[in-house]
Amino acid sequence: MIPAIMPTYARAPLTFVKGEGSWLVDDQGRRFLDVGGGIAVNALGHAHPELVETLQYQATQLWHTSNLYHIPNQTELAEKLVDNTFADSVFFTNSGTEAMECAVKMARKYFSHIGQPERYKMIAFSDSFHGRTLGMISAAGAEKLTEGFGPMLPGFTQVPLHDIEAVAAAIDAQTAAIIIEPVQGEGGIIPVEDQFLRDIRTLCAEHGLLLIMDEIQCGVGRTGKLFAHEWSGVTPDIMAVAKGIGGGFPLGACLATEAAAAGMVAGSHGTTYGGNPMACAVGSKVVDIIANPDFLAGVSEKSGLFRQALEGLVASHPQVFEQVRGLGLMIGIKCKVPNMDVVNAGYDAAVLTIPGGDNVIRILPPLNISNEDIIEAVARLDQAATAIEAKL
Ligand SMILES: *Cc1c(COP(=O)(O)O)cnc(C)c1O
């Protein structure tokens, strides 16, 4: 019999009832060190006191009005994002995939607006991930996402990452945009080379294309910059953000330059909940905390400590692990045994990690994780690896 919860996830036999910083407590009172961060969502850990206070206060004031009216928290957060990024304007959503949908619709609308409606095609990359709507599985194109879901939305092609010739060859007179994650997340924590991003920017300029970045996983301080593309100096025209920006409250955003947003006028796009007062109150507090240069410098320091300790871990378990990679606190460990074996052994050692593509486990901890918890996480992963070796 089908369970009441539709079985689209192979869930671990774990049920968490409380969170505190980098720790989760399950229904049997066991404490787990959470370095998966709810897949890069719990950017400030669980139950961060300032976020709790912000949400509790907002809950006593106003929950929802609809986007028919001005929403002060939304305006405040939009202005903070505009002040801190390439962008001039923001559309808020509830999720990442909706932020990407907005990005793609905006790019198509832009070309329609400038009198070139025939330009609707977009180039994305192999092993990318942009969410689960029909549009975004069409964009990513991988069989495991699209299988069984019938005809995909036309206009998307995928080319290999770091193959600029393939990108150039895929451009034709109908191409509108290139879509890229500056660090691929689901694909297995693959940072895109700075030079590749620059070459893509050059192609966009040559052909009049818009550059869409998906920073849903790698953005909001995750890599030690507010947004990952800042490392390369290349800015997008349109960018999708979600996950970390809500710190655990559902919130996404699509940021754009004034030029790219030229076709977005009253009536062209909408959402019931997107930019809701509760979500934007929390998002605004998250951005206040994370956009602080001292906080971002802390992310890079913690990354250095974590990476160094993980290099040691990999070196001492050569039968289990192959390589550490990533940027900031977006870390992947490529495994030699099946990655789920490592994730499961982690559960036994009470440390939570996330599987990813290319047989990696992902480490996406709270950006404010303590140095002690970093060392403890590596000790627990060491225990997990030792348990796996005992069975090899
Ligand atoms: C998680 C993710 C998405 C989808 O976000 P949802 O909030 O699950 O819709 C899209 N792109 C990237 C890069 C992601 O990591």
Side-chain angles (χ1 to χ4, degrees):
M1 199 177 71
I2 193 166
I5 298 290
M6 207 170 283
T8 61
Y9 278 88
R11 292 171 199 264
L14 293 171
T15 306
F16 297 109
V17 294
K18 192 169 166 49
E20 197 184 293
S22 303
W23 295 83
L24 280 170
V25 182
D26 80 355
D27 55 358
Q28 294 158 51
R30 295 179 299 180
R31 287 171 62 81
F32 290 74
L33 186 44
D34 179 14
V35 292
I39 321 186
V41 167
N42 300 105
L44 297 172
H46 300 280
H48 187 283
E50 285 179 77
L51 299 190
V52 171
E53 192 195 326
T54 299
L55 190 61
Q56 281 177 337
Y57 175 74
Q58 186 58 42
T60 65
Q61 299 299 302
L62 187 64
W63 288 23
H64 178 81
T65 58
S66 98
N67 283 303
L68 296 173
Y69 313 107
H70 292 282
I71 298 173
N73 293 345
Q74 197 181 110
T75 309
E76 186 183 317
L77 176 54
E79 284 171 354
K80 284 175 190 171
L81 290 170
V82 165
D83 286 348
N84 282 288
T85 67
F86 73 95
D88 303 310
S89 198
V90 185
F91 181 92
F92 289 106
T93 67
N94 312 290
S95 68
T97 191
E98 287 171 283
M100 280 302 299
E101 285 284 339
C102 177
V104 166
K105 283 182 70 178
M106 193 188 313
R108 285 192 175 188
K109 196 75 155 56
Y110 166 84
F111 283 100
S112 157
H113 177 80
I114 64 168
Q116 301 177 16
E118 72 284 359
R119 293 180 72 172
Y120 68 92
K121 293 185 186 170
M122 304 198 181
I123 300 166
F125 291 91
S126 316
D127 305 315
S128 62
F129 182 77
H130 302 296
R132 297 289 194 150
T133 56
L134 269 173
M136 291 312 110
I137 63 174
S138 304
E143 174 84 16
K144 67 177 179 197
L145 298 172
T146 63
E147 202 262 310
F149 291 111
M152 289 294 111
L153 200 65
F156 294 100
T157 47
Q158 298 82 27
V159 300
L161 195 63
H162 293 138
D163 184 347
I164 199 69
E165 305 298 325
V167 181
I171 297 170
D172 65 25
Q174 294 178 310
T175 306
I178 297 176
I179 302 175
I180 191 163
E181 293 164 82
V183 183
Q184 283 192 342
E186 302 298 311
I189 313 291
I190 302 172
V192 176
E193 287 165 16
D194 291 346
Q195 190 55 47
F196 187 68
L197 284 179
R198 289 186 207 115
D199 292 344
I200 285 200
R201 212 353 144 195
T202 305
L203 280 178
C204 286
E206 279 169 14
H207 297 272
L209 311 180
L210 294 175
L211 178 55
I212 299 174
M213 288 190 188
D214 179 344
E215 291 230 15
I216 291 165
Q217 193 162 147
C218 62
V220 196
R222 178 59 49 192
T223 67
K225 299 274 192 196
L226 188 55
F227 290 102
H229 64 262
E230 294 171 35
W231 290 107
S232 68
V234 173
T235 55
D237 300 292
I238 304 174
M239 174 171 75
V241 177
K243 294 202 165 98
I245 195 168
F249 202 92
L251 176 64
C254 181
L255 283 65
T257 62
E258 182 167 13
M264 303 302 272
V265 296
S268 51
H269 195 46
T271 167
T272 296
Y273 285 125
N276 157 293
M278 304 275 279
C280 287
V282 177
S284 209
K285 181 58 79 176
V286 168
V287 170
D288 282 347
I289 295 171
I290 293 181
N292 181 329
D294 292 336
F295 184 92
L296 292 169
V299 172
S300 290
E301 267 172 47
K302 289 172 193 300
S303 167
L305 177 68
F306 221 144
R307 286 287 290 267
Q308 195 182 14
L310 289 173
E311 294 289 356
L313 175 80
V314 169
S316 51
H317 299 282
Q319 290 176 285
V320 179
F321 299 122
E322 188 170 325
Q323 182 204 23
V324 185
R325 65 190 183 211
L327 196 58
L329 286 174
M330 190 170 182
I331 303 172
I333 309 177
K334 191 164 160 67
C335 300
K336 284 192 182 151
V337 298
N339 59 353
M340 273 315 295
D341 290 0
V342 180
V343 171
N344 287 326
Y347 295 152
D348 294 337
V351 59
L352 306 179
T353 60
I354 316 270
D358 195 32
N359 205 36
V360 307
I361 60 164
R362 283 180 284 172
I363 297 185
L364 305 160
L367 304 178
N368 58 354
I369 186 172
S370 71
N371 292 350
E372 273 173 2
D373 286 349
I374 290 173
I375 298 307
E376 181 63 27
V378 178
R380 290 178 184 218
L381 288 170
D382 186 70
Q383 204 183 314
T386 303
I388 289 170
E389 279 164 355
K391 290 187 212 145
L392 286 178

